[in-house]
Amino acid sequence: GDTALLQAAWYGQIAMLDHLIAKHHCKLDEKDNNGDTALLLAACSGKIPMLDHLIAKHHCKLDEKNNYGRTALLQAVWSGKIPMLDHLIERHRCWVDERNNDGNTALLILIKSNNPYMAVHLLEKYADTVCPHAVNRHGQNALHLCAQKGYQALFEKLVFGHGLDVAETDSSGNTPLMLAVEDNQETLVSYILEEFDYLDLSVQNHKGQDALAIAIEEKNTDIQALLRKKLNDQLRLQHVLEETASESGAIIEEFDRLKAESMRMCEALTESWAYSENLASEYESVSDIAETKTVQLRALTKTAQAQTAKSDALENQNEWLSQENADLRQRLSLKEQECDKLKQLSKQRLMKI
């Protein structure tokens, strides 16, 4: 299904392509058996000048798709052409999460087509635009596909760098671990069991199979041994946890008892505190009364002191008056004596006369 025009596009022969169009009236909508046009073949072969020429001169559209639903971007991804991928994203603003007919994005196609290096390039260079959580029509994300391929480094990056859930199931109910077991990826199975020891190995897919049942079906004894060892480890851990839970239950009961006792003590302390506050309030009231009485007593003391001072002054005045009275009486007595003398003199004079 390859025409001369499509061959010219594939090999990047711009002059030949223009000649075929101008002289031989070849059509740019020609397609091969896969539905690839000249633009899609140029993208797939990584011929950047040819792609730009088709877009600029012949107005080819970047949303063209082949029979598999692959656009120019997905063609570059599928064929592993990193420069073409970067050119389409950075120069032509192609959407990095375009999907093909199976719902696979560029990231998913890179993993499925065994190109983990380019997948890491996509995740690191376009971290702000690529969606690592995208799922295809089978409900599988990048982690599921990594598990099938056994790409441990990319698996770690998706889990610890982009937050994908190692326990997430696809449309068939398979976890990444189940898919790794199904595809006999022993190294990755061992890594998952060691790194994510919290995984529930009893989870079953829609066929009713857990990871061990799948390993038995695949007749992979090494993986069976890994899973049985992990199951035994989990059983022992569960037993220890149950014993610990029992001990913890007793500790919790004792804690609850002590907590109840503490609550009662708190209530008693609260009542004592309330009683103390009442006593303090009464004391403050009595103290206020005592202070008032003290003020009154001080006032009475000052009054009594004033009265005492007045009494002392009156007593002194009384003593002075008594002394004055005595002096007056003495002077009066002298005056009386003088009068008596004058009377006698008068009588003598009268008798002489």
Side-chain angles (χ1 to χ4, degrees), residues 15-256:
M16 177 59 72
L17 180 132
D18 288 343
H19 175 74
L20 289 169
I21 294 172
K23 298 296 183 181
H24 299 282
H25 307 291
C26 293
K27 302 296 184 183
L28 280 171
D29 57 0
E30 290 179 4
K31 297 182 179 181
D32 62 11
N33 294 337
N34 293 323
D36 288 319
T37 62
L39 178 74
L40 296 178
L41 290 171
C44 188
S45 62
K47 301 300 187 292
I48 293 176
M50 173 60 77
L51 180 128
D52 288 343
H53 178 74
L54 288 168
I55 294 172
K57 183 174 181 179
H58 300 289
H59 310 292
C60 292
K61 302 298 182 183
L62 286 169
D63 58 358
E64 293 178 5
K65 293 184 178 182
N66 63 13
N67 297 341
Y68 304 101
R70 293 197 295 262
T71 61
L73 177 76
L74 297 183
Q75 283 286 82
V77 167
W78 181 72
S79 59
K81 300 297 189 294
I82 293 179
M84 177 62 77
L85 171 71
D86 293 340
H87 182 73
L88 286 167
I89 294 173
E90 297 170 7
R91 172 74 180 275
H92 296 288
R93 305 296 184 216
C94 288
W95 184 35
V96 72
D97 283 326
E98 292 176 359
R99 296 173 182 268
N100 64 10
N101 292 343
D102 288 330
N104 289 309
T105 61
L107 177 62
L108 300 180
I109 291 173
L110 287 170
I111 299 172
K112 286 178 70 70
S113 59
N114 302 312
N115 198 338
Y117 170 77
M118 193 169 173
V120 171
H121 170 81
L122 188 72
L123 285 170
E124 291 181 348
K125 188 166 185 178
Y126 305 105
D128 294 336
T129 54
V130 69
C131 178
H133 297 269
V135 297
N136 58 23
R137 293 185 184 277
H138 305 291
Q140 294 179 325
N141 60 26
L143 206 60
H144 294 111
L145 300 182
C146 275
Q148 290 177 320
K149 297 293 184 178
Y151 297 145
Q152 181 177 327
L154 184 56
F155 191 96
E156 291 183 50
K157 186 176 186 67
L158 289 167
V159 173
F160 298 110
H162 298 277
L164 271 70
D165 185 3
V166 74
E168 187 173 347
T169 58
D170 61 13
S171 299
S172 299
N174 289 308
T175 64
L177 174 63
M178 292 177 180
L179 294 171
V181 171
E182 186 177 34
D183 283 272
N184 297 307
Q185 302 294 345
E186 183 180 342
T187 302
L188 185 59
V189 169
S190 177
Y191 166 75
I192 293 173
L193 292 175
E194 182 178 352
E195 186 69 28
F196 308 99
D197 55 1
Y198 57 84
L199 282 179
D200 184 3
L201 299 183
S202 65
V203 172
Q204 296 180 343
N205 59 21
H206 297 339
K207 293 181 180 180
Q209 296 175 312
D210 58 17
L212 181 58
I214 295 172
I216 293 171
E217 183 179 54
E218 294 296 325
K219 299 179 181 180
N220 191 318
T221 55
D222 291 334
I223 291 180
Q224 290 176 40
L226 289 172
L227 290 168
R228 285 195 172 96
K229 181 180 181 301
K230 191 63 179 181
L231 284 167
N232 290 332
D233 291 344
Q234 288 186 346
L235 285 174
R236 284 194 295 271
L237 179 61
Q238 184 178 356
H239 180 67
V240 172
L241 289 175
E242 288 174 354
E243 290 181 348
T244 304
S246 178
E247 295 175 358
S248 299
I251 294 173
I252 290 171
E253 288 180 1
E254 179 65 15
F255 174 77
D256 290 339

Side-chain angles (χ1 to χ4, degrees), residues 280-325:
S281 178
E282 292 177 2
Y283 173 78
E284 289 178 358
S285 177
V286 171
S287 179
D288 291 341
I289 293 172
E291 187 174 353
T292 301
K293 294 297 184 182
T294 301
V295 172
Q296 292 177 351
L297 180 61
R298 287 174 180 171
L300 289 174
T301 301
K302 288 182 179 179
T303 303
Q305 289 176 349
Q307 294 294 335
T308 300
K310 287 182 180 180
S311 176
D312 291 341
L314 288 173
E315 186 176 353
N316 292 332
Q317 187 176 4
N318 188 34
E319 289 179 358
W320 180 77
L321 288 174
S322 297
Q323 184 65 36
E324 284 292 317
N325 189 29

